[in-house]
Amino acid sequence: MWWLLLLPLTAFTQDKDLDIEAVERLSETMPDYQTEPPAVEFKEENVRARKFVYPIKAVTMAQITTSGIGLGSVKAGSYVIRIEDDVKMTVPKNMNIQYYRLEDERGFKYLVSKGKSKYKILSHQVIDTNEETNLFEPPDQYTPAPKNIIAAEYDDGFNFVPEPFFYAGFVDGSYMKDLFNDDRARYGNTSQFGIRGTAKWNWPIYAGAVFTYERSSYNLLNDGKVVYSSPSIGPMFKTKDFTILEFPFRFQTQFRVSPFARADTTFGDRQETIKFNSSDFLVAFEHPVKNGWGEFVLGLFVQAQWLNLKEQEGRTKVIANNQTNNSYGVSFSQVFE
C-alpha cells in the first residue's frame, strides 16, 4: 500500500523537480507483503456409496390384506402400478375403487379386485369416500323392538282415476218377450256409454262408481218397435291386473239402479210409454293396453237386467215377472292416469 503515499508526491512533481533517489530509498525501508496464496495441501477422503435405508420398518403383504377394505375414487389421468411387473398404467376415466386400508412403507395403497390385489397406487391419488358412503351411524343407546309386530298397510294418498267407456252388443230380452207377449221382442241390440272412476290403493280390489246411459231396441209384430232407455248409477269394483300368457287382464263388476228406466213403444200410429225401476248387474273381462294417456281397455261383458213396472199407459195392466234381459257384447274404454 506504499504506492498510495506516492500519489501526492506525484501530483507535486508535476510542478517541481523531485529527488527520485530519495523516494527509492524510502521504498526500500517499507515492509514487503506477500501477495501470492500459500501452498496448502488438501487431504482426500475415500467416501463409499451408501445404500438408502428406509426410516420405517417394511410392511408385509399379510398385514396389508388383513387391515380391512376402504372405499375411494380415482380421477382420470392418475396412474396405477401393476404389482407383478411394476408397469405403470394410466387410469382412462374416473373410477370408484376398493383398497386395503394399510399402506406399505413407500406410501402405496393396494387395490382390491375379486379378493386379490393386482395393482397399487400412491395414496395421494386416492379420494376417500368412506364418509360419503356411510349413510347410517348406529346410535349409542337403543331399545330392541319387539319381535311380533303386525304391520298395517294404508294408503297415504287417494287417486281417483276417470274412465269414459262405450259398450255395444245384443240382448236376449226374455222379459220384453213376456211383457209384450211377442216372440220378436226376444232379441234386440243394446249400447251403453258413460263414465266411471276407480280409486287406486294398495288393496287387491279397486272400488269406484259408474254412471251409464243405456239404450236398447226391440222389434215387434206388425212393424211395432220398442226403445228402452235408462240412466243408471251405482258402485263398481276392479281387480288388480293379473297375467295370462304374459298379457295383463282384470275383472270388473258393476251394480247399477235407476228409477228412470222407460220403454217407448210404437204400434202403427199408436205410441205408449212404460216406466220401470231397473237393476243391472254387469261383469266384464278386460285387457288393458298402455298408451300416452294411460290405458286403452278392451273387454267382453255380460249383463243381467231386472225390470219392475212402475207406471203404464193404457187400459191393459201387465204384471211383472222374474224374467231378465241379458246382454252380451264388447267394451272399449280409456283410463286417464
Side-chain angles (χ1 to χ4, degrees), residues 174-187:
S174 298
Y175 180 89
M176 292 298 185
K177 171 182 176 295
D178 291 346
L179 178 62
F180 295 101
N181 194 21
D182 192 328
D183 290 336
R184 293 196 64 185
R186 177 67 182 268
Y187 301 104

Side-chain angles (χ1 to χ4, degrees), residues 190-265:
T190 183
S191 63
Q192 302 179 24
F193 61 90
I195 188 167
R196 60 195 181 209
T198 309
K200 281 204 169 182
W201 47 40
N202 291 331
W203 294 356
I205 302 294
Y206 299 146
V210 56
F211 172 79
T212 301
Y213 182 82
E214 179 179 356
R215 181 182 175 87
S216 304
S217 62
Y218 307 84
N219 292 322
L220 301 176
L221 295 174
N222 301 320
D223 296 328
K225 190 172 183 179
V226 178
V227 176
Y228 171 84
S229 60
S230 170
S232 59
I233 191 171
M236 63 165 292
F237 301 92
K238 280 185 179 182
T239 64
K240 283 190 173 181
D241 293 353
F242 55 89
T243 303
I244 299 177
L245 300 177
E246 300 183 357
F247 292 100
F249 293 94
R250 65 175 68 131
F251 282 106
Q252 181 232 136
T253 61
Q254 302 176 11
F255 181 74
R256 310 187 313 273
V257 295
S258 175
F260 307 109
R262 58 186 291 166
D264 295 316
T265 62

Side-chain angles (χ1 to χ4, degrees), residues 221-225 266-271:
L221 295 174
N222 301 320
D223 296 328
K225 190 172 183 179
T266 302
F267 301 95
D269 296 334
R270 183 167 60 92
Q271 294 183 351

Side-chain angles (χ1 to χ4, degrees), residues 179 270 272 274 309 311-319:
L179 178 62
R270 183 167 60 92
E272 182 179 339
I274 304 174
L309 283 170
E311 181 180 336
Q312 180 182 6
E313 297 177 355
R315 297 179 181 178
T316 305
K317 301 294 183 180
V318 180
I319 300 174

Side-chain angles (χ1 to χ4, degrees), residues 12-40:
F12 180 77
T13 56
Q14 292 178 356
D15 298 328
K16 298 181 179 181
D17 295 336
L18 182 65
D19 188 358
I20 300 303
E21 294 180 357
V23 175
E24 291 178 353
R25 287 194 300 271
L26 180 61
S27 64
E28 291 176 356
T29 62
M30 298 295 291
D32 186 15
Y33 293 95
Q34 181 71 33
T35 58
E36 294 181 0
V40 179

Side-chain angles (χ1 to χ4, degrees), residues 41-72:
E41 293 183 2
F42 294 94
K43 185 177 179 181
E44 183 178 354
E45 273 190 33
N46 185 16
V47 180
R48 294 186 305 169
R50 296 183 179 180
K51 185 178 179 181
F52 177 75
V53 178
Y54 293 102
I56 58 175
K57 186 178 179 181
V59 181
T60 65
M61 199 64 190
Q63 292 173 320
I64 293 174
T65 55
T66 56
S67 63
I69 296 176
L71 302 176

